[in-house]
Amino acid sequence: MKITTTSKSITALDPSFVRIAIRTAPYTRLQEKDGVYTLHISHETKEPFTLRTARTLFRSIIRTAKSMKIERLAWNSTEIAALSTSDTDTRGVLLQLLAENILIADYEFTHYKTGKIKHPLTESLITDCDAKDVAFVERGAHIATHVNIARDLANTPGGDMTPETLASRAKALAKGSAVAVTVLGKKEIQKLQMGALLGVSQGSTEEPRFIIMEYWGAGKPSIQKGHTRTAVNEKSPVVLVGKGVTFDTGGLNLKPSDAVLDMHLDMSGGGAVIAAIVCAAKLKVKKNIVALIPAAENMVSGESYRPGDVLTTMSGKTVEVLNTDAEGRLILADALTYAKRYTPKLVIDVATLTGAALVALGQHASAIMTKDTALQTDLTRLGEESGDYVWPLPLWNEYKQHTKGTFADIANIPSSGSRYGGAINGGMFLAHFTEDYRWAHIDMAPRMTPAPGDHLAKGATGEPVRLLLKIIETF
Ligand code: BES
Ligand code: ZN
Ligand code: ZN
C-alpha cells in the first residue's frame, strides 16, 4: 500500500475513497450515503487517548479495512490530530505515528505466495495536510518501510537466509546510501581470533560471517580504527550489535520440536540493526553509527561444538560451553569485543537471547539491561515514545557468581543448571565483554513475534528498529 497526502479536505474527494470516521459509534460499520462510503470506527473514550492507544487503534482500522476488502482509504488529518488529549503529542507526532502504523499493520510476508494477493488495500490518503504535515507523514512512512525491511529479513526461512545471504542482503540494502559494508568470512574471523563465533558456527556447512556497517554522518573520527585508544568524543559512534543466528536448532542441546519452529527468526536483532542504520543513513542524520552483526547457523552435525567445550573468545577470556543452545551470547561476546576498536560513545546490543525474558515480561516488552541507571531511564522513555516498549531487569553484582566457569573463566549458563533469572544471566554474561564502554543489552525475545492484540501479521515484528532510530538521534 502507498501512503499519499493532499491539502484537499476529505469532502472534496471522489467516491473511490472510503472515509474513516473515528467516532464513539457503538460498533464499527461501513455506511453509504449518496454513493460515498464512510467507515465508522467505534472507539472507546473512557480511557485517555495516548500514543499507545493510538497505535493499536490505527492498526486495527487497517486490519478492519483489509477484512472488508476496501481498496482506498481516506484519513482526515485534522480529525486525527484532534483525538489527542495531551499537549506534547502534537499534530506532527500523531501524523507520523499514523503513517507508521498504517504501513506496519498493512505488512504481510507474501514473498513465497504464488498467485494473486487477496487483500486489495492499495492506498491511504491523508487529507488536509500542509507542507509540515507532509514531512511528518513521510518520516513515518520511511521508518515503517525500514521496520518492514527488518521483518522481511527475519521472516525469510533459514534455508534461504544463511549468514552469507544475510551479508549480501545487508550490502544490497546499503546500496545508494552512505553506509559502507564490509563482510568478513571465516578466514578473517579466524585471524581476529573470534573463537566463540567460530565455535557456534562449526556444526553448520554454512560458514559464519561478520558484517560491519559504518555510517559517518557526523564526519569520520580522526583515529577511527587501529589500536590507539582515544577518549570518547562527539565523533565517537553509537555501535549497534545484532544477534545474527540465521537458524537456531539449539545445537547438540537440541531444542524440542515445537521450540525450533520459529528459530529462523533468531537473527531478528541482526535484521533490526541492519534496517536501523540504513534507515538513519537515508534520513541523512548527522550522527556516526556502526552496526556489527555476527552471523552463524547453530546446527547439529559431527562437527558441532559440544557441551563442555572451552572456547577462547576474541577478548582472550575463555568460555565453558555448558549449553550449546545459549549460543547468542557467545557470538555477541566476540562482536562486543570488536566494538571496542571504535571507542564508541554507546553500544547497544539487540538479541533474541532468552526464552526467560518471555517468562519475565510476557510478550509486550523487550527486556533492557544496563548498569547505567541514567541510560536505563532514557531507553525506557525512548521505548515508550517509539512504540518499541522496553522494560528493565537488573545487572547487579549479586548475579555475577552465576557466570563463573568451573574449567574456564566464564560459563555460558550457570554451572548449577538453575534456570532462575535466565534473562539476567544472559545479560551478566555479556557484561564480561562490555567493561570498556557505556552499554545496554536489549533481549528482544519477547517481541520477536507479535502479542495478541498487536494487530500485526504473523512472523517477525521488526522491533526494535523504531527505538534504535530514536537512540541514534538522541545520543
Ligand atoms: N534463540 C533462543 C532464545 C529464544 C527462545 C528466543 C524463544 C525467542 C523465542 C536462545 O538462543 C536460546 O535458546 N536460549 C536458551 C538459553 C538457555 C539454554 C540458558 C533458552 O532460552 O532456553
Ligand atoms: Zn539457542
Ligand atoms: Zn538463539
Side-chain angles (χ1 to χ4, degrees):
M1 189 204 348
K2 61 177 178 193
I3 294 195
T4 50
T5 52
T6 178
S7 57
K8 280 191 205 161
S9 96
I10 203 157
T11 48
L13 302 181
D14 70 71
S16 70
F17 287 95
V18 174
R19 282 92 163 131
I20 301 281
I22 301 170
R23 295 273 188 270
T24 53
Y27 55 93
T28 292
R29 66 184 191 278
L30 191 61
Q31 193 185 48
E32 190 256 358
K33 205 181 163 207
D34 306 329
V36 172
Y37 284 88
T38 304
L39 180 57
H40 292 274
I41 304 293
S42 115
H43 166 58
E44 285 277 346
T45 48
K46 276 172 239 141
E47 300 270 322
F49 185 86
T50 63
L51 297 187
R52 268 183 188 258
T53 53
R55 289 183 186 102
T56 39
L57 173 66
F58 297 153
R59 290 182 196 168
S60 71
I61 294 172
I62 290 296
R63 307 278 283 192
T64 303
K66 284 178 95 164
S67 71
M68 290 178 163
K69 307 227 183 295
I70 292 170
E71 278 177 46
R72 302 168 92 193
L73 282 177
W75 308 70
N76 178 340
S77 64
T78 304
E79 195 182 295
I80 298 291
L83 291 168
S84 174
T85 51
S86 109
D87 306 333
T88 47
D89 305 340
T90 58
R91 181 179 171 93
V93 170
L94 272 174
L95 293 183
Q96 179 188 319
L97 189 133
L98 173 66
E100 259 176 43
N101 285 281
I102 286 174
L103 291 179
I104 289 170
D106 182 53
Y107 174 90
E108 275 172 65
F109 185 63
T110 54
H111 185 80
Y112 293 87
K113 296 258 192 192
T114 61
K116 244 175 105 191
I117 293 167
K118 281 186 228 104
H119 44 81
L121 190 55
T122 56
E123 184 177 357
S124 266
L125 174 62
I126 304 176
T127 67
D128 302 271
C129 283
D130 63 17
K132 255 170 124 187
D133 297 336
V134 172
F136 278 107
V137 168
E138 282 175 355
R139 184 180 157 84
H142 178 79
I143 294 170
T145 300
H146 287 81
V147 170
N148 292 343
I149 284 172
R151 294 163 95 181
D152 277 344
L153 290 174
N155 283 329
T156 303
D160 286 345
M161 182 55 71
T162 61
E164 186 188 7
T165 22
L166 185 61
S168 56
R169 293 283 281 274
K171 280 187 179 165
L173 287 165
K175 232 185 203 142
S177 79
V179 177
V181 186
T182 310
V183 177
L184 308 185
K186 189 176 172 186
K187 279 215 176 89
E188 291 147 305
I189 293 167
Q190 281 167 332
K191 220 182 244 162
L192 285 167
Q193 298 182 292
M194 292 181 159
L197 177 55
L198 289 165
V200 170
S201 67
Q202 79 189 29
S204 172
T205 49
E206 299 294 336
E207 290 191 352
R209 293 290 186 280
F210 190 72
I211 307 166
I212 302 161
M213 303 175 83
E214 297 175 336
Y215 170 71
W216 307 112
K220 226 170 183 165
S222 44
I223 308 169
Q224 174 223 324
K225 280 188 187 169
H227 303 287
T228 330
R229 203 36 56 70
T230 47
V232 170
N233 59 47
E234 69 283 3
K235 284 197 174 171
S236 301
V238 168
V239 177
L240 309 174
V241 178
K243 172 176 173 181
V245 172
T246 57
F247 197 79
D248 183 10
T249 65
L252 291 174
N253 293 105
L254 190 63
K255 287 181 182 294
S257 309
D258 289 354
V260 90
L261 191 62
D262 266 347
M263 281 300 123
H264 62 293
L265 301 176
D266 210 20
M267 37 56 68
S268 293
V273 307
I274 292 170
I277 191 172
V278 172
C279 178
K282 289 189 178 160
L283 286 172
K284 297 195 163 57
V285 300
K286 291 188 172 58
K287 301 280 181 177
N288 287 337
I289 319 159
V290 174
L292 304 174
I293 304 98
E297 192 179 42
N298 189 17
M299 272 297 195
V300 187
S301 79
E303 274 162 318
S304 293
Y305 73 143
R306 307 154 188 82
D309 277 359
V310 173
L311 306 174
T312 303
T313 61
M314 185 185 177
S315 71
K317 289 179 182 167
T318 56
V319 180
E320 198 174 346
V321 179
L322 295 182
N323 191 315
T324 58
D325 197 11
E327 83 298 337
R329 64 198 72 184
L330 295 171
I331 67 168
L332 289 174
D334 282 338
L336 290 166
T337 300
Y338 189 90
K340 282 206 280 189
R341 67 178 55 199
Y342 292 98
T343 327
K345 74 163 83 130
L346 175 66
V347 177
I348 305 283
D349 78 75
V350 189
T352 47
L353 207 72
T354 67
L358 278 144
V359 177
L361 292 174
Q363 284 191 287
H364 299 285
S366 290
I368 44 161
M369 284 157 255
T370 175
K371 295 182 182 183
D372 184 323
T373 48
L375 182 58
Q376 176 181 303
T377 308
D378 286 344
L379 293 181
T380 312
R381 176 177 51 81
L382 294 176
E384 191 65 42
E385 287 174 11
S386 68
D388 292 338
Y389 308 130
V390 295
W391 201 252
L393 295 176
L395 289 184
W396 297 327
N397 281 335
E398 285 85 341
Y399 292 100
K400 198 171 175 181
Q401 54 181 308
H402 307 296
T403 62
K404 267 208 188 115
T406 310
F407 303 110
D409 301 337
I410 29 187
N412 75 335
I413 63 159
S415 52
S416 64
S418 165
R419 289 180 162 270
Y420 295 161
I424 298 169
N425 292 335
M428 289 304 291
F429 178 91
L430 298 176
H432 283 279
F433 302 91
T434 59
E435 280 154 357
D436 295 326
Y437 45 69
R438 204 170 177 215
W439 161 74
H441 160 55
I442 302 179
D443 188 337
M444 61 159 295
R447 298 297 305 155
M448 184 174 82
T449 54
D454 279 350
H455 304 295
L456 292 174
K458 281 192 180 140
T461 62
E463 291 195 22
V465 170
R466 293 170 297 177
L467 171 60
L468 292 175
L469 185 67
K470 285 255 182 206
I471 292 171
I472 289 165
E473 292 184 321
T474 306
F475 291 93

